[in-house]
Amino acid sequence: YIMPYLNVIIPIEIYNFIETMDNVESAQAAGDNYNVGEAQFADGVATMIGALFGGVCPNTVWMGHPGLKQAGCRIGYAWVSGLLFFLTAIFGFFALLYNLIPTVIVAIVFLWCALTITAQAFVDTPRRHAAAIGIAMLPHIANYAYTQISSTLMSVGIFEITPEVSQSLLDAGIIWKGIEALNYGAVLSGMMWAAIIAFVIDRNLKAAGNLSLIAAAFTFFGILHSPLLGINAGPVGITIGYVSVGVICYLVDRFKDKLDVPVRYDYV
């Protein structure tokens, strides 16, 4: 019964696992040392309890901790938020709030969260890793472009992107194949790309090679760059690309003593 839904459940749970890990790490960078394992456990328990009552949204730790902390929010803020959500759900106020609060107000909240975590990414990491942070944003830009393009197509009655539609987009000069591939699993691929570049910058080429091969395996099984899970589900070219990067990293690591490369460099 559950099999048809695994293509949605597994990627979303991978995303939530990473989301919690990222946001707990963000809180740690802001000076609050919460335990990642405890947070993951609480997420899982809360998700299962919610499912028993018909909840379809998995639980995760929300972003914006450094900004909330600077605004003076403490644990009471979390308790009040939880209480308001509970009362709103019990008395059916969600539709009322949805129609009452302007969309622009919600957009400001998301923009504030985005600015907070983007600024923290550059402030609380070594300067030499700036290129890695920039690389990490590319899949998210592709995800945004994919959403805008697909929504535009739906507005004119095109609800399925067929090979003919894809070709029309390509003929119009849109780099559609890249946008489509990077859209799927953008959060995970962004993190893995950033880690690979950071490892290269730190001259830890063996770790960069290992992570490249893991990314290749994820792509092969459809966890990255594919809307479906399965054997050889991701684009073959991207899988080969990750394998190639891994092999290059291993070779350079093997012969690094013979290469004239600066001891420290800030970009690749």
Side-chain angles (χ1 to χ4, degrees):
Y1 180 78
I2 200 175
M3 287 299 291
Y5 304 99
L6 289 181
N7 286 332
V8 175
I9 293 172
I10 292 176
I12 286 181
E13 279 309 315
I14 291 174
Y15 166 79
N16 278 332
F17 177 85
I18 294 169
E19 181 82 0
T20 291
M21 185 172 61
D22 275 354
N23 291 323
V24 172
E25 185 176 346
S26 173
Q28 291 173 347
D32 295 315
N33 294 312
Y34 298 103
N35 185 286
V36 177
E38 290 179 1
Q40 300 282 19
F41 183 79
D43 280 347
V45 171
T47 299
M48 289 188 288
I49 293 173
L52 293 176
F53 291 89
V56 297
C57 297
N59 200 63
T60 188
V61 174
W62 187 236
M63 63 186 73
H65 179 94
L68 291 169
K69 183 177 181 180
Q70 291 179 17
C73 299
R74 296 293 183 264
I75 193 170
Y77 174 85
W79 277 104
V80 170
S81 297
L83 180 62
L84 288 176
F85 270 112
F86 175 75
L87 294 175
T88 302
I90 290 294
F91 294 104
F93 286 156
F94 278 119
L96 172 65
L97 293 175
Y98 178 81
N99 291 294
L100 184 65
I101 301 174
T103 304
V104 67
I105 299 300
V106 180
I108 289 172
V109 174
F110 277 101
L111 179 62
W112 171 78
C113 287
L115 287 174
T116 299
I117 61 178
T118 302
Q120 187 187 32
F122 284 99
V123 170
D124 291 333
T125 55
R127 283 186 60 226
R128 66 182 185 276
H129 287 168
I133 299 171
I135 286 289
M137 294 180 180
L138 293 181
H140 298 280
I141 295 172
N143 173 260
Y144 176 78
Y146 179 91
T147 302
Q148 295 301 309
I149 294 170
S150 59
S151 297
T152 301
L153 292 173
M154 283 190 287
S155 71
V156 294
I158 301 175
F159 296 95
E160 182 181 0
I161 301 177
T162 62
E164 292 76 19
V165 173
S166 294
Q167 189 58 49
S168 297
L169 293 171
L170 292 170
D171 293 341
I174 299 171
I175 49 173
W176 178 249
K177 287 186 178 180
I179 290 173
E180 188 176 38
L182 290 185
N183 166 66
Y184 301 113
V187 173
L188 184 56
S189 61
M191 287 183 61
M192 297 186 80
W193 286 17
I196 291 170
I197 298 299
F199 282 137
V200 172
I201 291 172
D202 291 341
R203 301 176 65 81
N204 190 352
L205 297 178
K206 193 172 293 183
N210 293 340
L211 195 53
S212 298
L213 295 187
I214 292 172
F218 281 3
T219 305
F220 182 78
F221 290 108
I223 296 175
L224 292 179
H225 309 302
S226 172
L228 300 173
L229 299 176
I231 305 298
N232 198 24
V236 176
I238 296 181
T239 303
I240 294 173
Y242 281 129
V243 173
S244 301
V245 171
V247 171
I248 290 170
C249 287
Y250 290 141
L251 288 174
V252 175
D253 182 68
R254 174 66 178 82
F255 297 104
K256 62 184 177 183
D257 295 335
K258 304 181 186 303
L259 298 175
D260 184 20
V261 179
V263 174
R264 176 179 175 183
Y265 53 99
D266 291 345
Y267 57 89
V268 180

